[in-house]
Amino acid sequence: MDRVSSFDEPLKKLLGGATAKVMAEHLDLHTVGDLLHHYPRRYEERGKLTALADLPLDEHVTVVAQVADARILMFNNGRGKRLEVTLTDGSGRLQLVFFGHGVHKPHKELLPGRQAMFAGKVSVFNRKMQLAHPTYQLLDASDADEATEAVDAFAGRLLPIYPACKQLDSWRIAKAVDAVLPSAQDAVDPLPASLREGRGFTPLPEALLKVHRPQTKADIEDAKARLKWDEAFVLQVALARRRYADTQLPAVARRPVEGGLLDAFDAKLPFTLTEGQEKVSKEIFDDLATEHPMHRLLQGEVGSGKTMVALRAMLTAVDAGGQAAMLAPTEVLAQQHHRSITEMMGELAEGGLLGGSEQGTKVVLLTGSMGAAARRQALLDLVTGEAGIVIGTHALIEDKVQFHDLGLVVVDEQHRFGVEQRDALRSKGKQPPHLLVMTATPIPRTVAMTVFGDLETSVLDQLPAGRSPIASHVVPAKDKPHFLARAWERVREEVENGHQAYVVCPRIGDEAEEDGKGAKKAKAKKAAPDEDPEKRPPLAVLEVADELRKGALAGLSVEVLHGRMHPDEKDDVMRRFAAGDVDVLVATTVIEVGVNVPNATAMVIMDADRFGVSQLHQLRGRVGRGSAPGLCLLVSEAHEASPARARLSAVAATLDGFELSRIDLEQRREGDVLGQAQSGVRSSLRMLTVIDDEEVIAAAREEAVAIVAADPELKHLPELRTVLAALLDKEREEYLDKG
């Protein structure tokens, strides 16, 4: 174990307290190992100048460039001094500005022709890109005689540029790395020797040296190939072990019964299932028929008919003598699933009731806000087995809820549920029940292999017949206010044609929110350091609804729906909207998942730039659910050239959720996607990019599966065990599937 100990050494022992503190607080680096895995973001060739033309606004950057000219300007009648330095690199120009007493040193050092490395935050002043008070490091010798020699010495050298922060520049991080680099020799290599040699990988200590201090570009490629592979492989071994452990659990096989509930249900369906629904149903039925628990992820585009597939699986479980539970993330959604499932089943959902079918079963709803009598009855129906199907929120997981024989659990919208809840529900069965997880967020294959790597995946990518296309447009409210006026006219036209509309806002916005947590949030929002302090808080449901009633939509029936309303009130509004009594529903994202009102054809999303790409796609999926075409208007005050507007244009340009999820992932990179889902594992993905490295992840998964099948305890691979233990202490492994 000694070999891993130098990696565990706290940074403050080697770097001193102040630097270690900044690294811990701002870069989440605590040990020698952390710093050795803090890889350069890119490399500069010292003899080659960076493209100043491509600098991103508002980001902390490091550039290598040459001083074109420098001049001191006076202002305030000669009382104030400003040094302006122009940099060039052949691709563009960049202005540096220094004020007050800070002008003396740079004025002496930043002479025309000098080359230096500069770090600072890019802003725009008088339509020119600038860095105000950047830190810099001269790259040429100060003595003219030595200059040529020095230039030759660094001209071909590759200069690592590290992910940095305001408090710690890239070159200071480079110096710290120099201090810990000798410890790279102690790196414990997780790859089995046969795999490493078979794939021709560089040994790990050498890869760490090459990534931090490359001599050539080939060094960088070698190191990256090796380090990416390590990350993918260790993660896939952890997931493969989890899948293996699950296959060792016993479960009751649940097979369809001829002439049972499923056959009766299929016989009364007014349409035929799509090819995709048939294929996915077969995958699920095959899993249900085995004697270890199914763990399957069902991804389906908005409106692809996932609920139908899940219901048929639930009916199979009931046919086989078990019960099925469906877990929804919100009460609105649980009530909606209950409504749509009882409607789909008709008299089959009235088992034991007068007029119900003999083959039927009881379908009960269980939520936290139910009245005591209704709740008592639901609990009784579950424990006696009278109810074959229960739909509810996580109230289903409470200790009081007992099942007669829980055979299948369906979880809707996985990202809203943690693994603890999944396991709590699993413990409700005599043996672990089968598990089907549904999500309407399309997930690129690579993310499915990492975040949801312990689940087998089925994809529904075909829309059922009768779904209408949705036209999407960006409405630039600031640049073209008349576009917004036209948007409200379009809503009015839809209502006049007998349809309904949603208006979505990012915030609820009543006094309770302003006085309580919301005020803190709004203040925090305003005070974020990288944001324009003038930025107004996001638009709020209550205010927008009020304005619309008095103004653009006067005379129409406008109602609100948000998470702080009483559940009965929410249900009442949803029922009236579904019945067509409400023309326009102004809501927060509570309508994001599963709300199904086929007559709603238009949606206006206010401050659309405040939502993520996948979320906008989810929201848009609420319209165009009937035979009339859908319309989605994305209202934004974001500047035309901003990344926010580019995101909105991407959403408007395609209805393909998988394409959008790729865009989303490219923009956010992996950080948020793996997110806290893997508690600490995120920090293990530093080199691997989930979006670009599909082949590496797929190959690593194959190797991992083979290794775990041959040696589930990794008895013959002590190094791999050590690295896994460091990456996934027990707690983290539990969180691995929290996706």
Side-chain angles (χ1 to χ4, degrees):
M1 283 305 289
D2 289 347
R3 293 189 336 170
V4 81
S5 62
S6 74
F7 263 46
D8 291 337
E9 191 88 23
L11 284 171
K12 63 171 172 274
K13 276 195 178 173
L14 287 145
L15 305 177
T19 306
K21 189 172 184 241
V22 172
M23 286 196 166
E25 285 176 7
H26 296 279
L27 297 169
D28 197 21
L29 305 175
H30 305 273
T31 63
V32 167
D34 289 344
L35 183 52
L36 284 173
H37 289 302
H38 186 70
Y39 306 128
R41 177 178 285 166
R42 59 191 170 85
Y43 302 84
E44 288 293 358
E45 285 182 69
R46 276 183 164 167
K48 215 174 102 195
L49 300 172
T50 333
L52 293 179
D54 304 332
L55 289 183
L57 252 182
D58 283 341
E59 277 192 29
H60 206 77
V61 298
T62 303
V63 296
V64 177
Q66 195 163 15
V67 177
D69 67 66
R71 60 198 171 282
I72 283 204
L73 302 169
M74 299 294 194
F75 58 92
N76 258 357
N77 292 329
R79 286 197 299 276
K81 257 185 206 176
R82 182 168 82 235
L83 171 66
E84 286 186 359
V85 180
T86 305
L87 303 182
T88 176
D89 68 348
S91 77
R93 294 167 90 79
L94 176 67
Q95 188 125 26
L96 310 180
V97 59
F98 300 87
F99 293 101
H101 298 302
V103 306
H104 306 303
K105 186 168 177 262
H107 189 219
K108 277 196 280 213
E109 294 181 335
L110 298 178
L111 304 172
R114 298 295 290 277
Q115 202 182 24
M117 185 153 61
F118 301 88
K121 193 170 158 190
V122 185
S123 57
V124 168
F125 181 70
N126 277 346
R127 297 192 177 172
K128 282 185 189 157
M129 296 274 237
Q130 74 165 25
L131 299 183
H133 279 287
T135 46
Y136 62 89
Q137 186 181 32
L138 295 170
L139 292 178
D140 44 10
S142 49
D143 185 318
D145 295 339
E146 293 170 28
T148 331
E149 210 176 297
V151 170
D152 291 344
F154 71 59
R157 277 272 309 278
L158 290 157
L159 204 64
I161 305 291
Y162 287 92
C165 61
K166 195 174 167 184
Q167 295 77 1
L168 206 60
D169 298 321
S170 169
W171 52 85
R172 292 205 182 99
I173 296 171
K175 279 182 186 153
V177 169
D178 283 335
V180 300
L181 213 45
S183 301
Q185 294 309 320
D186 302 334
V188 175
D189 197 326
L191 295 194
S194 57
L195 194 158
R196 188 173 65 237
E197 285 148 24
R199 290 186 175 265
F201 284 132
T202 304
L204 184 56
E206 195 185 314
L208 288 169
L209 283 172
K210 281 180 168 176
V211 80
H212 288 292
R213 299 294 171 263
Q215 298 301 310
T216 63
K217 286 185 177 170
D219 281 356
I220 299 170
E221 291 316 306
D222 269 8
K224 278 187 172 176
R226 168 66 215 253
L227 296 167
K228 273 183 182 183
W229 182 271
D230 280 20
E231 287 175 8
F233 177 71
V234 172
L235 187 54
Q236 291 303 332
V237 168
L239 291 163
R241 287 184 76 190
R242 177 137 193 141
R243 287 195 302 275
Y244 178 84
D246 283 339
T247 63
Q248 302 311 296
L249 295 171
V252 179
R254 310 281 178 176
R255 298 182 182 89
V257 174
E258 210 169 313
L261 196 50
L262 179 65
D263 285 354
F265 176 74
D266 284 350
K268 65 193 272 306
L269 275 183
F271 50 81
T272 53
L273 297 176
T274 65
E275 227 172 283
Q277 285 174 319
E278 293 278 13
K279 177 178 134 290
V280 168
S281 291
K282 184 183 182 318
E283 291 170 349
I284 292 169
F285 290 159
D286 289 351
D287 280 359
L288 288 173
T290 61
E291 291 185 352
H292 60 80
M294 161 170 84
H295 287 105
R296 190 166 282 280
L297 172 68
L298 171 58
Q299 306 185 48
E301 272 286 19
V302 175
S304 56
K306 293 183 298 300
T307 311
M308 171 63 69
V309 169
L311 177 55
R312 294 181 76 240
M314 289 159 82
L315 296 175
T316 302
V318 176
D319 272 346
Q323 290 167 295
M326 184 185 237
L327 214 54
T330 63
E331 294 210 351
V332 168
L333 202 52
Q335 288 159 341
Q336 170 136 345
H337 276 315
H338 182 252
R339 259 201 308 277
S340 61
I341 282 173
T342 47
E343 277 164 20
M344 281 196 250
M345 286 175 64
E347 75 277 6
L348 295 175
E350 295 164 3
L353 300 179
L354 218 60
S357 160
E358 279 173 31
Q359 288 152 315
T361 186
K362 222 173 188 187
V363 179
V364 300
L365 175 69
L366 189 62
T367 62
S369 64
M370 281 169 79
R375 188 178 172 78
R376 249 195 324 272
Q377 185 59 53
L379 291 172
L380 188 65
D381 289 341
L382 285 179
V383 77
T384 58
E386 185 83 11
I389 294 176
V390 58
I391 295 146
T393 54
H394 45 248
L396 279 180
I397 304 167
E398 289 171 12
D399 296 341
K400 290 193 214 53
V401 182
Q402 297 298 320
F403 290 86
H404 177 64
D405 178 13
L406 182 60
L408 168 68
V409 174
V410 178
V411 176
D412 189 17
E413 287 305 315
Q414 154 75 5
H415 60 276
R416 311 274 173 113
F417 282 99
V419 66
E420 305 97 324
Q421 284 132 313
R422 231 159 83 170
D423 287 344
L425 199 56
R426 205 181 268 172
S427 65
K428 297 281 185 189
K430 296 188 178 82
Q431 287 189 334
H434 298 280
L435 177 71
L436 178 66
V437 170
M438 301 196 297
T439 176
T441 309
I443 303 159
R445 178 168 169 255
T446 43
V447 179
M449 284 193 290
T450 46
V451 180
F452 299 102
D454 67 325
L455 300 169
E456 300 300 329
T457 307
S458 296
V459 178
L460 263 182
D461 47 13
Q462 230 181 336
L463 289 186
R467 287 299 303 251
S468 305
I470 304 169
S472 306
H473 304 284
V474 179
V475 178
K478 205 169 191 173
D479 311 343
K480 300 180 177 166
H482 60 286
F483 275 40
L484 182 58
R486 175 71 188 119
W488 299 127
E489 278 171 28
R490 283 292 290 110
V491 169
R492 204 175 260 287
E493 285 162 17
E494 290 299 312
V495 173
E496 280 162 7
N497 289 332
H499 298 302
Q500 291 156 281
Y502 297 99
V503 177
V504 182
C505 305
R507 207 164 57 96
I508 300 172
D510 62 4
E511 299 320 306
E513 181 185 39
E514 303 313 336
D515 296 344
K517 288 184 212 154
K520 281 184 195 146
K521 269 192 181 163
K523 276 181 194 153
K525 180 85 193 139
K526 273 195 159 176
D530 293 339
E531 288 200 2
D532 175 2
E534 297 308 309
K535 224 175 195 183
R536 58 167 177 72
L539 291 171
V541 167
L542 299 175
E543 290 147 26
V544 168
D546 209 34
E547 281 171 32
L548 291 175
R549 285 188 192 111
K550 290 175 188 158
L553 302 182
L556 301 186
S557 146
V558 177
E559 295 266 1
V560 300
L561 180 71
H562 57 75
R564 258 202 329 270
M565 288 162 64
H566 187 276
D568 293 348
E569 217 183 329
K570 275 192 247 181
D571 200 38
D572 175 55
V573 171
M574 266 325 294
R575 271 178 199 281
R576 287 187 296 115
F577 188 64
D581 302 337
V582 173
D583 298 325
V584 179
L585 188 63
V586 184
T588 54
T589 53
V590 289
I591 61 154
E592 177 186 348
V593 279
V595 171
N596 185 22
V597 179
N599 191 46
T601 52
M603 176 176 285
V604 181
I605 303 178
M606 307 303 290
D607 277 342
D609 46 282
R610 311 270 179 133
F611 299 98
V613 169
S614 297
Q615 201 173 24
L616 290 169
H617 182 59
Q618 290 292 312
L619 287 165
R620 168 172 64 185
R622 303 297 114 220
V623 295
R625 299 178 79 86
S627 49
L631 172 69
C632 179
L633 301 174
L634 306 166
V635 179
S636 167
E637 290 189 1
H639 190 272
E640 197 170 353
S642 65
R645 273 286 284 279
R647 272 206 320 269
L648 297 183
S649 302
V651 174
T654 177
L655 290 172
D656 179 342
F658 285 92
E659 174 56 28
L660 285 173
S661 68
R662 276 196 83 82
I663 292 168
D664 198 16
L665 193 50
E666 272 166 4
Q667 290 187 335
R668 294 188 296 149
R669 302 314 288 176
E670 304 39 70
D672 303 26
V673 179
L674 298 181
Q676 294 313 313
Q678 294 170 353
S679 167
V681 176
R682 176 180 63 158
S683 56
S684 72
L685 293 197
R686 297 171 190 243
M687 185 63 80
L688 192 73
T689 53
V690 175
I691 191 87
D692 303 323
D693 295 319
E694 187 162 337
E695 282 160 30
V696 175
I697 293 169
R701 181 175 168 123
E702 244 168 75
E703 293 277 9
V705 167
I707 281 167
V708 171
D711 180 5
E713 294 302 313
L714 307 178
K715 284 187 179 126
H716 306 296
L717 299 167
E719 289 85 2
L720 178 54
R721 257 205 337 270
T722 301
V723 172
L724 260 182
L727 174 69
L728 307 167
D729 49 49
K730 200 68 205 128
E731 179 194 16
R732 286 171 180 178
E733 193 153 11
E734 295 303 325
Y735 277 94
L736 248 180
D737 62 348
K738 216 180 180 180

